[in-house]
Amino acid sequence: MSNAALAGELGADNSAEKTAGTGAAPGLSEDWLAVWIGLLVFVLALVGVVGPNLLGWVVSTSVWTDVSGALGPAAKNYAGLGGIGALLVTYVALLVVLSVGAAALKIDVRRFALRFTVVFAIAYASWVVGSYAHFAAVTPSDFKKFGIDWSLRLTNEGGFIFALVAGLIISNFFPRFAEWLKEAIRPELYIKIAIVILGAFIAVTVAGKLSLASSVLLRGIAAIIEAYLIYWSVVYFVARKWFGFSREWAAPLASGISICGVAAAIATGGAIRSRPSVPVLVSSLVVVFAVVEVLILPFVAQTYLSHEPLVAAAWIGLAVKTDGAAVAAGGITEALILAKAAAEGVQYEPGWILGTTAAIKVFIDVFIGVWAFILAYIWTNHINVQKGGEKARVGEIWQRFPKFILGFVLTFLVGFYLASTATPDTLARITPAIGTANAFRVIFFILTFFSIGVLSNFRSLWREGLGKLVAVYVVSLFGFVVWVGLLVSWIFFSGVKPPLVN
């Protein structure tokens, strides 16, 4: 790409009309298709609350040292399928549903089906490799369980990195193969389906965390104000004023760095009608830096915050930007701090550090949909207004609004209502039912990151400004976000300790 094109890509504001075509028939878009597929998974999962678990056959991958034990169905009552059986059934189910979606989007179904088969095989194989114990094991108990003495501590989400790398290898070294895969490389569709399903998973997690002490929950609300009003505005300013990024790039960057990473970047990109390449590229950086944080921050917390365990817990929740990495980092932090406290004769109850990290992270996640709606309104009425300077009408706001956010909000509200009003026996059925839906969410995330890689020619991306994106991330995350998060965590959680073991 020429320097002039580069300037246009990274420096010029994009109009609201620049959206990626999907090839869909009028009245249907990838947005709506994502909503329907996500809701289909959600509804089928809920059947398991009152009847048989219809989705328990979906494949799930565990951390492994013996690959024969890596795969298995999500529900025990489908154990007879075995790992390979669950994988094949999952592949066939996804192939059928997505092929129907491809037909609705006017995509050649035969070409899509063949290419999706290859995409699924490579992407899921990458996930399995990323779950190898020497890559994914995190806590001391993991080391003991698998009989290992070292690990890269990438967590299960390290598998996303492997999927991304696999895609990058194909894009950069086998460009003809990458072009051949094109029909099945649809990161926006995959991530939007995942976000719709994510709403239910977050809802059940929120309902479960309501049993924490009210003081912890109230302090968690401060995280929302910090992430959305302080972090977001500063990162947006840094991207715009210090690095010269357009609004189209600065907004997803601000959301990805300050809120919850991948989901927030994608939701923001949809809200402001950015080109698909913008949020998916930001998402790849989010995952890479989340892994870096997992490897560093828990040990910093143990060294300097062992006497303020809930300050450490809140800080991890505010600093690490993907859900899985944040929870994993919270688990590492808890193990390290409890071990150090025990050596000093203090026995804290387990679960409070990890629970606080998860609660903080979930509070931030809950408002992704609300924030996307706010940004959609601002962009429609004050930034990318209609021609002639007229502000958009309500109908125009609806037209531009990312519909998959409606799916996220719906699954969240239904899931939260069911989980918060359920009896203990019913809740014991809701949690595994939503867990099977979440297994599909993980698979769609895997497909997303592999697709991101296939669409990313690294040499071209570097010429087009990837170095600037990394610079914004480093400056914002390690120059501001981490330290402000520590300050806010100290203000709200200093002196608040987990209960001691009797």
Side-chain angles (χ1 to χ4, degrees), residues 22 24 28-35 105 186 188-189 192:
T22 63
L28 182 66
S29 65
E30 282 192 346
D31 245 0
W32 278 118
L33 182 60
V35 171
L105 293 175
R186 311 192 72 83
E188 278 202 294
L189 175 62
K192 289 173 181 178

Side-chain angles (χ1 to χ4, degrees), residues 107 396 404:
I107 300 169
E396 178 70 10
F404 72 96

Side-chain angles (χ1 to χ4, degrees), residues 58-282:
V58 62
V59 68
S60 178
T61 305
S62 304
V63 178
W64 58 276
T65 50
D66 180 357
V67 71
S68 63
L71 302 177
K76 292 181 179 179
N77 56 316
Y78 288 90
L81 280 175
I84 299 300
L87 181 64
L88 291 175
V89 173
T90 301
Y91 154 71
V92 171
L94 289 175
L95 179 65
V96 171
V97 171
L98 291 175
S99 293
V100 172
L105 293 175
K106 304 300 182 183
I107 300 169
D108 187 300
V109 174
R110 290 185 179 180
R111 290 169 61 87
F112 174 84
L114 178 59
R115 286 151 179 78
F116 176 77
T117 299
V118 177
V119 166
F120 180 84
I122 299 175
Y124 209 87
S126 303
W127 177 256
V128 173
V129 172
S131 298
Y132 182 49
H134 283 296
F135 298 144
V138 172
T139 64
S141 61
D142 290 337
F143 281 47
K144 183 177 180 180
K145 175 182 177 181
F146 295 107
I148 60 176
D149 55 9
W150 69 271
S151 169
L152 296 181
R153 300 178 185 267
L154 299 180
T155 76
N156 271 30
E157 291 205 356
F160 295 142
I161 299 296
F162 281 85
L164 177 66
V165 170
L168 285 171
I169 291 172
I170 291 172
S171 176
N172 289 275
F173 296 99
F174 306 97
R176 291 185 180 179
F177 185 35
E179 182 65 23
W180 184 83
L181 292 173
K182 185 176 180 180
E183 277 83 359
I185 299 299
R186 311 192 72 83
E188 278 202 294
L189 175 62
Y190 300 143
I191 193 63
K192 289 173 181 178
I193 296 171
I195 290 175
V196 173
I197 300 171
L198 179 64
F201 180 73
I202 292 175
V204 174
T205 305
V206 168
K209 297 306 175 186
L210 291 179
S211 61
L212 288 174
S214 59
S215 60
V216 173
L217 295 177
L218 290 174
R219 286 168 169 82
I221 295 174
I224 299 170
I225 299 173
E226 178 187 6
Y228 287 87
L229 299 183
I230 301 176
Y231 280 176
W232 198 95
S233 58
V234 171
V235 176
Y236 183 82
F237 175 85
V238 168
R240 289 279 289 156
K241 301 301 182 182
W242 291 8
F243 290 89
F245 279 95
S246 66
R247 292 187 179 97
E248 183 195 18
W249 284 90
L253 263 173
S255 293
I257 297 172
S258 64
I259 302 176
C260 111
V262 175
I266 295 291
T268 298
I272 69 170
R273 288 297 187 92
S274 69
R275 288 159 292 182
S277 60
V278 176
V280 296
L281 185 54
V282 172

